[in-house]
Amino acid sequence: MNSISETDLIINPDGSIYHLNLRPEDIANTIITVGDPDRVEVVSKYFDKIDKKVSKREFVTHTGYIGNTRLSVISSGIGTDNVEILMNELDALVNVDLPTRTIKQEHTSLNIVRIGTSGSLQESIPVDSYVVSKRGIGFDALGHFYPTPTSSFSEAIQSQLNLDFLSYTSFGSEKLYDLLFDDKNPLYFEGNTVTCPGFYAPQGRILRYTPKQENLLQKFNQFSFQGSVLTNLEMETAGYYLFGELLGHEVLSMSAIVASRMTHQFSKNPEKHTESLIQQVLEKITGL
Ligand code: R1P
Ligand code: URA
């Protein structure tokens, strides 16, 4: 079998993978990802035991146990460019034999849950609620470089929003959705999540410029296709789902809604709200 070149798959002298600085034994098969590196310890403080702490750039990893369940929590920093590195390197850690740089015969599928923050696009999804993304719609450029399926949803967005580019649409794990969506909690909403390549103009925020896309927020809010609307804006989900589908991992993105973009309300305590989502996920995920 052909081996992957030293510049395509860079391994550090200590045997760890280039950016994450992790060796295969340093990660669990169930991984929680967060954007903010400071949020890693907000998750790992609930672990009964932490046996590994590694950090490099924005990628901070803690691995340990809750009861008998081994878990890792890793921060990605902001944006799908970081998710591209994170997902490729996590996949290589389990599906490539690093010493020989060859793809393993047996495929390992990771369970990956993003716990992030997000802004809601519908008045019916209030601040301090939760969105569990069924779809991720990528407005970023990853879809130009990785195979992404043709999507009538993305085509409808292009035409209704009058965009001169086509987004890509990918889907989260049904297995993790069924496990983690709390249908008894009225604050849980199913999501068609728009992943933006920026926080300001790509999310309809206007500071000291005239944005190229006019009335973007209103257009996001009013979009509808086959009974589905766009629910929320953030900056990673579509990237995660693209690699979940491409590389065969179970991936789910869950967002604490900290801003209601239609009513202009911001959460009074976004940290507490996000930590409450972390607690709910940890209670359910330990059975995996
Ligand atoms: C922007 O403030 C960041 O917050 C959201 C967005 O996706 C982006 O990363 O997620 P996190 O709170 O996980 O970072
Ligand atoms: N994160 C985002 O990307 N957008 C928001 O409005 C809030 C959090």
Side-chain angles (χ1 to χ4, degrees):
M1 190 178 284
N2 287 345
S3 79
I4 302 170
S5 84
E6 282 190 29
T7 53
D8 283 2
L9 178 65
I10 305 170
I11 299 167
N12 299 317
D14 66 356
S16 64
I17 201 152
Y18 190 45
H19 298 92
L20 303 186
N21 226 28
L22 297 168
R23 295 190 197 84
E25 62 271 25
D26 296 336
I27 56 163
N29 276 21
T30 297
I31 300 173
I32 290 171
T33 65
V34 296
D36 182 353
D38 287 345
R39 202 179 299 145
V40 168
E41 66 180 31
V42 179
V43 177
S44 70
K45 74 180 185 193
Y46 293 102
F47 290 7
D48 297 320
K49 187 174 122 197
I50 300 174
D51 46 42
K52 192 82 197 173
K53 287 189 177 183
V54 176
S55 87
K56 188 170 175 189
R57 300 179 182 240
E58 49 273 82
F59 303 109
V60 176
T61 302
H62 292 180
T63 294
Y65 286 86
I66 297 181
N68 291 325
T69 306
R70 191 157 184 254
L71 291 169
S72 294
V73 49
I74 309 182
S75 59
S76 66
I78 289 179
T80 57
D81 46 353
N82 286 326
V83 171
E84 193 252 8
I85 291 172
L86 177 65
M87 289 297 287
N88 270 295
E89 294 193 5
L90 285 178
D91 181 71
L93 285 173
V94 292
N95 287 315
V96 177
D97 179 59
L98 298 187
T100 59
R101 301 170 176 285
T102 52
I103 296 167
K104 291 182 183 171
Q105 297 281 333
E106 202 179 317
H107 175 264
T108 298
S109 177
L110 297 167
N111 299 304
I112 298 172
V113 180
R114 164 192 178 266
I115 304 180
T117 60
S118 177
S120 122
L121 285 169
Q122 302 296 332
E123 274 193 53
S124 55
I125 303 178
V127 81
D128 293 338
S129 64
Y130 309 102
V131 170
V132 186
S133 306
K134 203 140 210 174
R135 285 185 180 87
I137 303 113
F139 275 46
D140 60 300
L142 282 182
H144 298 300
F145 300 93
Y146 288 95
T148 48
T150 330
S151 156
S152 50
F153 203 84
S154 279
E155 283 165 357
I157 290 180
Q158 181 173 29
S159 109
Q160 290 185 35
L161 274 64
N162 198 19
L163 301 175
D164 54 13
F165 61 91
L166 184 62
S167 57
Y168 60 93
T169 293
S170 20
F171 290 85
S173 157
E174 285 179 22
K175 176 186 95 171
L176 293 179
Y177 190 94
D178 291 345
L179 179 72
L180 295 172
F181 188 93
D182 186 349
D183 52 14
K184 301 207 171 44
N185 185 339
L187 290 175
Y188 270 66
F189 294 89
E190 176 180 301
N192 295 310
T193 297
V194 180
T195 295
C196 300
F199 186 79
Y200 291 94
Q203 296 191 22
R205 292 188 168 90
I206 303 173
L207 303 183
R208 280 194 334 105
Y209 38 73
T210 306
K212 192 165 165 185
Q213 309 294 338
E214 275 182 72
N215 302 320
L216 186 58
L217 209 48
Q218 287 69 27
K219 288 181 188 160
F220 279 141
N221 169 258
Q222 281 157 23
F223 171 85
S224 158
F225 179 64
Q226 295 178 341
S228 293
V229 297
L230 299 173
T231 51
N232 61 312
L233 300 172
E234 50 71 79
M235 297 176 65
E236 289 87 22
T237 298
Y240 277 114
Y241 286 4
L242 184 165
F243 289 104
E245 288 182 344
L246 185 67
L247 300 172
H249 300 291
E250 303 286 337
V251 188
L252 190 72
S253 172
M254 304 183 70
S255 294
I257 297 298
V258 296
S260 165
R261 297 302 310 285
M262 304 322 295
T263 64
H264 309 290
Q265 285 172 298
F266 194 79
S267 173
K268 298 280 178 287
N269 198 336
E271 286 80 18
K272 184 165 167 247
H273 180 50
T274 308
E275 188 163 343
S276 148
L277 181 58
I278 289 168
Q279 289 168 330
Q280 293 171 63
V281 170
L282 289 178
E283 270 170 30
K284 295 193 193 114
I285 211 170
T286 42
L288 266 178

